[in-house]
Amino acid sequence: MTARNNLRDQLIKSTGGTFFLKLCASALSFTVTLFLTKALGKESYGTYVYVLAWIGVLSIPATIGFTQIVVRDIAIYYAKKEWALLRGLLSFSNKIVFLSSLTTMLVAMLACWLFVDDGVTGSIALPFYIALISLPFIALTQIAQATMRGFMCIVRGQLSEFIVRPIILLLLLLAAVVFYDGVTVSQALLFNLVAVVVAFLVSFKWARMVSPVEAGSGGMAFHKTAWLGAASPMLITSGIQMINFQADIIILGFFDESSQLGVYSVTKQITGLITFGLMAVEISFAPTIARLYSAGLMSKLQEIISKGSAAMLFISIPLVVLLVFFGEDVLVIFGKDFVEGKNSLLILAAGQLINVFFGPVGQIAIHTGHGKRSMYIIGLGAFLNIVLNLLLIPQWGIIGAALAATISLASWNIILAIYIFRKTGVISGAFALIKKNKRIKS
């Protein structure tokens, strides 16, 4: 079997495994959401979502951009058998992320005490305190997962977050429903904290199991300046991406739209299914993109991106069609109050289809050495997203939030795809398929 076939089989296995994992994870996530919406109601569920949106944003400074560094550099050091650097990276990344996440948690708790816990809005302060405790565990779990992905254990590198964590949360919610009358927001977040801790313990154990023997003992070499320098643009890029993802939720919460926030969050979760294929390709292909680009194998890199783009569209288009015709039926599963999100559901579905159309352009930028410029481009999209949310939400509520998210998502995808093509010659997304078909016809 040739090296080319080995690479193809490895990517098919990891992408297929990731897709199946995402499918199972989404089933679990929807079950958890269904339990929460029924137990909390749309307004309290909106509070739950709002608190976790802030945790998502704070997880970025907690990891300080090292998740992508760990994936990229472990893949490179492992391929080149640079064991001392590999051991140094593993040690340094865990220590610095622990310190960063602990600092972020304490600063956020202080801010919560100063600006939120005033005795009047104290009802939302307690959920914030509970959720903030999970921050160091979330950050270290991401490093452990990145380690597994760097060693090409793509599927196992996601199991703790997407399977173990929701299963524990679901079991705790079931127990609460059976033995108690109901669930409060604080209790739900406490259950989430327990699930996060369990997921951390599992991911840490698995990361040690998949690491090669050479990574476990011996001398260490450190490129701290290089790692921190490379992590800085990735930190900003990840932060901008998270702001892009959570700006609508946070700004809706800022305008005290808790009931609408619960509805909007459900529509956002549903349309997230459209990016199944994109997420599978991004997670599975990231180490391979880094290896092929560093080796100068551009034709092979373009080939795997073209095939990944075909898989993404094959998965996404039927889901969009389903939501267009049966979106209201899907929303009513969560309760009659959630049907009001139908229009925002369709707008968000259009935005996610555009996202899939342009493919893993962000990952291509990061792993071909263009992370800094991609940071500026995605930052422009984040700024546009915030401005549009501030302008449109007061007028149109969740429809305005959906429009803001869709317009900003389309904008940065278009600009970044053009930039990457000009700098590397790599065509991402559906355009790769169009060019391939033209070449075949000619």
Side-chain angles (χ1 to χ4, degrees):
M1 184 177 289
T2 64
R4 184 188 188 112
N5 288 334
N6 278 329
L7 177 62
R8 181 197 63 194
D9 293 343
Q10 188 178 48
L11 289 174
I12 290 173
K13 181 180 178 181
S14 60
T15 305
T18 298
F19 175 74
F20 181 73
L21 176 66
K22 294 288 185 183
L23 190 64
C24 295
S26 289
L28 285 169
S29 179
F30 271 93
T31 305
V32 169
T33 300
L34 189 60
F35 267 89
L36 286 170
T37 54
K38 299 294 184 183
L40 297 175
K42 68 176 184 178
E43 186 166 348
S44 293
Y45 178 67
T47 302
Y48 176 88
V49 168
Y50 180 63
V51 170
L52 288 185
W54 273 109
I55 297 302
V57 171
L58 291 172
S59 69
I60 301 303
T63 56
I64 59 170
F66 258 77
T67 51
Q68 295 288 358
I69 293 295
V70 169
V71 174
R72 186 193 70 183
D73 286 3
I74 281 181
I76 294 172
Y77 296 154
Y78 185 45
K80 295 180 177 180
K81 302 187 185 303
E82 295 179 336
W83 304 118
L85 280 171
L86 195 152
R87 288 189 290 267
L89 175 61
L90 289 175
S91 175
F92 183 69
S93 61
N94 277 282
K95 289 177 181 177
I96 196 168
V97 166
F98 173 72
L99 291 174
S100 176
S101 60
L102 189 63
T103 303
T104 304
M105 180 192 75
L106 294 174
V107 170
M109 283 184 169
L110 177 62
C112 187
W113 178 66
L114 290 174
F115 302 111
V116 179
D117 194 358
D118 58 2
V120 178
T121 57
S123 59
I124 198 173
L126 179 58
F128 266 115
Y129 288 135
I130 295 170
L132 284 169
I133 297 171
S134 67
L135 200 54
F137 297 102
I138 291 172
L140 290 171
T141 298
Q142 290 181 16
I143 294 299
Q145 291 174 329
T147 300
M148 288 184 272
R149 287 167 56 196
F151 288 126
M152 291 305 294
C153 295
I154 306 298
V155 175
R156 181 177 286 193
Q158 304 167 78
L159 283 175
S160 61
E161 180 180 357
F162 295 116
I163 301 297
V164 175
R165 180 173 162 182
I167 284 178
I168 298 299
L169 179 55
L170 182 58
L171 290 175
L172 292 171
L173 287 171
L174 283 170
V177 170
V178 171
F179 295 107
Y180 299 96
D181 294 333
V183 179
T184 65
V185 175
S186 295
Q187 288 171 336
L189 287 166
L190 185 60
F191 295 156
N192 182 70
L193 172 60
V194 174
V196 166
V197 173
V198 173
F200 160 71
L201 294 173
V202 171
S203 62
F204 185 76
K205 173 74 172 178
W206 282 348
R208 291 175 66 90
M209 289 173 60
V210 304
S211 299
V213 176
E214 295 86 351
S217 60
M220 297 182 189
F222 298 93
H223 286 172
K224 294 181 182 180
T225 303
W227 293 334
L228 290 169
S232 298
M234 293 187 183
L235 166 64
I236 299 172
T237 301
S238 298
I240 292 168
Q241 288 175 330
M242 183 60 72
I243 290 171
N244 260 331
F245 184 69
Q246 299 288 13
D248 43 9
I249 297 289
I250 290 174
I251 294 173
L252 274 169
F254 176 78
F255 284 109
D256 198 24
E257 299 284 354
S258 294
S259 59
Q260 282 204 320
L261 183 54
V263 174
Y264 183 75
S265 176
V266 168
T267 64
K268 194 171 182 178
Q269 185 175 1
I270 293 170
T271 54
L273 293 172
I274 297 167
T275 61
F276 253 23
L278 176 60
M279 288 188 294
V281 167
E282 284 184 331
I283 293 172
S284 302
F285 282 30
T288 303
I289 292 171
R291 287 203 303 271
L292 293 179
Y293 186 77
S294 65
L297 301 174
M298 300 305 295
S299 61
K300 187 177 290 187
L301 176 58
Q302 183 63 70
E303 181 183 349
I304 68 163
I305 290 173
S306 298
K307 291 179 178 178
S309 300
M312 289 186 295
L313 290 171
F314 179 77
I315 294 165
S316 301
I317 291 175
L319 290 172
V320 174
V321 173
L322 178 68
L323 292 179
V324 167
F325 291 101
F326 302 102
E328 189 171 333
D329 297 316
V330 174
L331 286 170
V332 80
I333 296 172
F334 298 91
K336 293 181 180 179
D337 291 339
F338 290 85
V339 176
E340 65 182 270
K342 181 182 178 181
N343 290 332
S344 62
L345 180 77
L346 296 177
I347 296 169
L348 288 171
Q352 292 297 358
L353 184 60
I354 293 171
N355 193 21
V356 172
F357 186 86
F358 283 96
V361 64
Q363 290 295 317
I364 296 171
I366 289 172
H367 295 288
T368 57
H370 295 90
K372 188 173 183 179
R373 187 53 61 95
S374 71
M375 170 187 72
Y376 298 140
I377 294 171
I378 298 174
L380 178 64
F383 177 75
L384 179 62
N385 192 13
I386 292 170
V387 171
L388 289 175
N389 271 293
L390 290 171
L391 291 174
L392 299 179
I393 286 175
Q395 298 295 322
W396 294 327
I398 58 176
I399 292 178
L403 285 169
T406 298
I407 293 169
S408 61
L409 187 62
S411 299
W412 72 257
N413 264 288
I414 292 169
I415 298 171
L416 187 55
I418 293 171
Y419 174 78
I420 290 302
F421 172 68
R422 288 180 175 176
K423 291 296 181 179
T424 68
V426 175
I427 305 173
S428 181
F431 291 108
L433 299 176
I434 295 170
K435 183 175 181 180
K436 183 179 179 181
N437 288 335
K438 286 183 177 179
R439 189 168 61 246
I440 292 172
K441 288 179 181 179
S442 61

